[in-house]
Amino acid sequence: FEEALHGILLPLQGRVGQLWHTGRISIAVEHYVTSQIKQKLYAAINQLPVAEFGATVVVACPPGEEHDLAALAVAYRCRVRGCRVYYLGANVPVLSLSTLCREVTPDLTILSCTIGLADSTAADLIHSLAQEVVPLSKVLAGGQGALVMRRHFMGANIEVLENFSELDEKLEELTRRFPIPG
């Protein structure tokens, strides 16, 4: 499934997004394709065992970020690698994220940002994350929006991932610290 996800489904979603952006398909078609891909991801995630002893990872999209397909793909990758995953989805307020982080004490929090925010808005969001979430968990950010806002994230001690390969490296480092009992 992981090969199909990265070789077919996510590239398909990217192409559909481009077609919508250029006006060649309607938002209804874009939403339909997205919902079909999400269904496949949820089905794959639900087939995986729930980790009892692995690293705890929270995956979310920051406030205002409605595109959560990449975040769902990240949650899948984390589950495949034996992590206990709290997938929060799109548009998660920072205070709600920090409240959950206090409750579950994650080893890692991953933010998916597809849209780059204007400098002042990005600065406010990332300052809030630095105050509320960074003290509770190591935080990574990924996606095209994160790349656009890189300097803001770096100033807040939030590492920006370039791609899924970098995510895999971070997950490998993390899961090495949590051997499976037995």
Side-chain angles (χ1 to χ4, degrees):
F1 181 79
E2 200 159 345
E3 286 179 30
L5 176 64
H6 292 282
I8 299 168
L9 298 175
L10 293 179
L12 171 64
Q13 179 63 33
R15 180 70 177 133
V16 166
Q18 290 170 347
L19 291 171
W20 169 78
H21 188 70
T22 60
R24 295 185 59 205
I25 63 170
S26 70
I27 192 72
V29 171
E30 186 277 334
H31 282 197
Y32 175 75
V33 172
T34 300
S35 73
Q36 293 299 306
I37 294 171
K38 282 183 182 180
Q39 287 178 25
K40 303 289 184 251
L41 268 165
Y42 279 120
I45 288 171
N46 288 333
Q47 296 298 313
L48 297 170
V50 176
E52 295 181 43
F53 303 103
T56 301
V57 179
V58 172
V59 180
C61 297
E65 178 62 66
E66 296 295 335
H67 301 90
D68 63 341
L69 184 60
L72 188 56
V74 167
Y76 171 79
R77 287 178 93 99
C78 292
R79 280 282 296 272
V80 163
R81 285 151 182 82
C83 298
R84 291 178 286 165
V85 178
Y86 291 83
Y87 173 69
L88 307 183
N91 195 25
V92 178
V94 173
L95 289 178
S96 293
L97 179 60
S98 68
T99 298
L100 181 79
C101 287
R102 279 186 186 84
E103 292 172 8
V104 303
T105 59
D107 301 292
L108 183 61
T109 299
I110 304 171
L111 301 173
S112 177
C113 308
T114 63
I115 305 295
L117 302 174
D119 274 346
S120 62
T121 307
D124 290 345
L125 168 64
I126 294 167
H127 174 75
S128 181
L129 288 165
Q131 296 293 309
E132 298 292 333
V133 181
V134 170
L136 304 171
S137 171
K138 178 179 176 131
V139 180
L140 304 176
Q144 292 301 312
L147 295 172
V148 169
M149 299 182 292
R150 177 189 307 272
R151 69 180 175 84
H152 294 291
F153 280 119
M154 290 175 64
N157 201 27
I158 298 173
E159 186 176 347
V160 174
L161 300 173
E162 294 280 335
N163 50 45
F164 277 103
S165 294
E166 284 190 11
L167 171 65
D168 288 341
E169 290 173 17
K170 297 297 179 185
L171 291 175
E172 178 66 29
E173 291 171 17
L174 180 64
T175 56
R176 275 197 305 260
R177 297 187 351 230
F178 292 88
I180 297 172

